[in-house]
Amino acid sequence: MVKKAKKVLLIGWDAADWKVINPLLDSGQMPTLQKIVDNGMIGNIATLDPPLSPMLWTSIATGKRADKHGILGFIEADTVNGGVRNVNSTSRKSRAIWNILHHEGYKTNVISWWPSHPAEPINGVMVSNFYQRANNKVGKPWLVPKDAVHPVEMTRVLAPYRVHPAELTEQHILPFIPFAAEVDQEKDKRLEALARIIADTATVQSTATYLMENTEWDFTAVYFDGIDHFCHGFMKFHPPQLPGLPDDLFRLYKDVVVGAYKFHDMLLQRLLQLAGEDCLVMIVSDHGFHSDHLRPIELPKFAAAPALEHNPYGVICMYGPNIKKDDRIYGATLLDVTPTLLAAMGLPIGKDMDGKVLMNAFENPPEIKYIDSWEDVEGDFGEHPKHMKENTEESAEALQQLIELGYIEDPGEDKMKAMERAEKESKYNLAKVYLSKNDITNAVTLFEELLEKEQSDIRFNIELALSLIHI
């Protein structure tokens, strides 16, 4: 009989990429990850189309594509109040792995998963993706957003462990930007952006390590968006110097991306210490990030343009009891994460899940059990009531962050137009999902509906033409 995993630690490193990691491993600059490479399984993991983070991380957590789990982009139409809102945990139509574990009596901690706000009432602690971002001016109270922590009484416990960007000193900045003193901060806001990313990442780490050390848990999932943000802000400065990039900017910011990966390796060391040797550890990224000649210096002006910087292959690492040592995982996709972890914990896989169990990762493959669908099982799954919808000030602040990052257009003040744009993008993303799973008929139907309303959008014309070729 194969022994099931006692504990599981799932670590999300958004946008982590082997092309950046491998040289750092070779030069000894990521010693913690090297331990996993030497004593576990590693490989590429294929992303999904479209490669938009909320959709991808929900697929990782459910084992299902977006046509089933219902997260179709960064925002959605707010049919109650008008305008648009951030996609939240209440937008998800499928149960995540932590809901399944809740039903089966496991104790679970989930930190910062995207999207996980409002925090779900699971057996354990959930800290939402709205929790870590500083939303106050210096000197003003830094309030934890409403519904960002479950159970609510943990809010007072965890709040002191947050790190505010204003707390950082030059010693926190210099490992990333050695010549930071030369930056004209009146004209160049990159130091401020860097400080926010470092503080956010440190807050996620301190929250996760507190919960791992001070609560009983069987499963911990912690998501870091830091590598993705570091790369969107600074990858164009990463060596080798791109043609047309000014020498002074290259000199200032060429070390940021390497610093980001070394930072995450340091954080990983503490996570592994707290997990212990009897814990199955999985590290996964939702996609990679172009670090070579495919890097654009400038991005075109359209929604989700930052996704053009993404590499379709991310990283996957597995380490711990019953995991093969110093070997490779082949053929993995994001859809395989939840089925693999459920199997490792001795739980059935939903037949409606789109992923598979990564059997070749195990020394002694677990017995695979199936259930028609976890969605059909009655009982307590640690979920919100189905009627619950959020429309909070915190959601508006998160929306503004996405606008600043370039992932979405500013919705403006016309709520109806904003709703129409959001519905259009959701339908477009759903059509791309259908296309990716070779459901050409449904994809064509949606592209035709989009073209009827807006013939000028070149994306709809191109995608419809490509779809019709395959009929």
Side-chain angles (χ1 to χ4, degrees):
M1 180 178 176
V2 177
K3 193 175 182 181
K4 68 180 183 180
K6 289 184 178 179
K7 282 187 173 184
V8 170
L9 171 62
L10 174 60
I11 301 171
W13 278 0
D14 199 307
D17 193 298
W18 288 118
K19 280 190 176 181
V20 181
I21 291 173
N22 284 332
L24 298 177
L25 293 175
D26 292 341
S27 58
Q29 296 185 76
M30 293 188 75
T32 311
L33 190 63
Q34 186 70 57
K35 177 182 177 181
I36 291 178
V37 171
D38 292 341
N39 297 282
M41 295 284 285
I42 66 166
N44 292 324
I45 190 165
T47 193
L48 303 171
D49 194 32
L52 304 179
S53 288
M55 301 172 67
L56 303 179
W57 288 104
T58 305
S59 288
I60 290 170
T62 61
K64 297 179 181 180
R65 290 185 174 87
D67 59 318
K68 294 179 181 177
H69 66 57
I71 302 295
L72 293 171
F74 294 96
I75 59 173
E76 62 187 8
D78 183 352
T79 57
V80 176
N81 301 287
V84 296
R85 61 187 285 268
N86 243 49
V87 291
N88 289 337
S89 61
T90 50
S91 312
R92 198 180 67 239
K93 298 189 297 186
S94 295
R95 287 165 174 161
I97 186 171
W98 49 81
N99 301 122
I100 296 170
L101 295 176
H102 173 99
H103 181 269
E104 297 300 303
Y106 290 84
K107 292 185 179 294
T108 299
N109 294 328
V110 180
I111 302 98
S112 190
W113 208 263
W114 192 7
S116 59
H117 188 86
E120 294 176 84
I122 58 173
N123 179 22
V125 180
M126 178 172 279
V127 179
S128 88
N129 58 304
F130 282 14
Y131 169 82
Q132 67 265 24
R133 175 52 60 98
N135 54 15
N136 66 314
K137 294 182 179 179
V138 177
K140 300 292 183 180
W142 184 13
L143 302 177
V144 174
K146 182 176 178 290
D147 298 324
V149 178
H150 168 82
V152 67
E153 56 266 25
M154 285 298 295
T155 307
R156 288 181 177 272
V157 176
L158 296 175
Y161 293 93
R162 295 174 299 166
V163 178
H164 195 284
E167 298 177 51
L168 303 184
T169 70
E170 65 272 15
Q171 297 307 314
H172 300 103
I173 302 296
L174 290 175
F176 299 88
I177 306 176
F179 303 104
E182 299 177 16
V183 177
D184 183 351
Q185 295 190 59
E186 290 296 320
K187 298 178 181 178
D188 187 342
K189 301 299 181 184
R190 293 187 183 93
L191 283 188
E192 182 182 338
L194 182 83
R196 285 200 302 269
I197 302 168
I198 295 171
D200 285 357
T201 305
T203 294
V204 173
Q205 173 77 0
S206 61
T207 303
T209 52
Y210 177 88
L211 292 174
M212 291 174 69
E213 191 169 15
N214 294 283
T215 66
E216 293 183 17
W217 58 275
D218 304 297
F219 176 88
T220 289
V222 54
Y223 165 73
F224 295 91
D225 64 5
I227 290 175
D228 186 64
H229 290 316
F230 280 118
C231 289
H232 279 303
F234 298 94
M235 182 59 85
K236 63 184 175 184
F237 306 110
H238 185 64
Q241 185 175 357
L242 288 173
L245 187 70
D247 291 342
D248 58 337
L249 293 180
F250 176 72
R251 176 175 172 272
L252 280 173
Y253 299 120
K254 64 183 176 62
D255 302 304
V256 172
V257 170
V258 167
Y261 276 88
K262 291 168 65 175
F263 182 34
H264 280 72
D265 193 73
M266 294 165 62
L267 303 181
L268 177 62
Q269 181 182 28
R270 182 59 177 153
L271 294 173
L272 294 185
Q273 287 175 347
L274 292 171
E277 292 299 321
D278 64 343
C279 181
L280 189 160
V281 179
M282 180 186 283
I283 303 172
V284 65
S285 64
D286 55 337
H287 52 74
F289 205 99
H290 291 305
S291 57
D292 50 21
H293 61 284
L294 297 174
R295 292 175 289 166
I297 291 184
E298 298 293 339
L299 291 172
K301 303 293 184 182
F302 65 79
L308 296 174
E309 297 181 287
H310 297 165
N311 177 356
Y313 292 98
V315 309
I316 184 169
C317 309
M318 293 182 69
Y319 166 83
N322 197 30
I323 301 300
K324 293 178 184 176
K325 299 183 187 302
D326 193 22
D327 208 340
R328 293 194 65 85
I329 297 170
Y330 294 100
T333 79
L334 305 186
L335 299 167
D336 303 332
V337 172
T338 282
T340 300
L341 295 181
L342 288 175
M345 300 181 82
L347 295 174
I349 316 304
K351 290 181 181 178
D352 59 339
M353 290 181 179
D354 297 312
K356 63 184 180 301
V357 177
L358 296 170
M359 298 291 282
N360 70 322
F362 297 96
E363 287 183 344
N364 297 297
E367 177 188 356
I368 308 301
K369 296 175 286 187
Y370 289 96
I371 188 173
D372 285 339
S373 176
W374 281 103
E375 312 303 327
D376 298 333
V377 178
E378 299 291 333
D380 179 10
F381 280 82
E383 298 171 288
H384 293 303
K386 294 194 180 297
H387 65 273
M388 184 175 176
K389 288 289 180 181
E390 285 291 301
N391 187 64
T392 64
E393 290 183 10
E394 288 82 17
S395 184
E397 290 169 357
L399 205 66
Q400 184 60 39
Q401 181 186 352
L402 293 174
I403 294 167
E404 292 172 359
L405 288 170
Y407 277 115
I408 64 171
E409 297 176 5
D410 188 334
E413 297 182 6
D414 190 323
K415 289 187 175 182
M416 187 57 67
K417 284 186 177 180
M419 286 180 66
E420 290 174 356
R421 283 202 300 270
E423 290 172 344
K424 176 187 73 176
E425 290 303 317
S426 293
K427 186 175 286 189
Y428 174 73
N429 291 337
L430 179 57
K432 292 279 285 181
V433 172
Y434 284 137
L435 200 57
S436 71
K437 58 187 285 189
N438 209 31
D439 185 349
I440 307 300
T441 301
N442 277 322
V444 166
T445 298
L446 290 179
F447 287 134
E448 287 177 340
E449 290 176 5
L450 288 164
L451 266 176
E452 283 181 16
K453 291 187 176 180
E454 190 170 343
Q455 295 184 2
S456 61
D457 195 315
I458 190 66
R459 297 176 302 165
F460 305 157
N461 288 275
I462 292 174
E463 296 291 355
L464 178 59
L466 291 173
S467 302
L468 291 171
I469 290 172
H470 290 89
I471 290 181

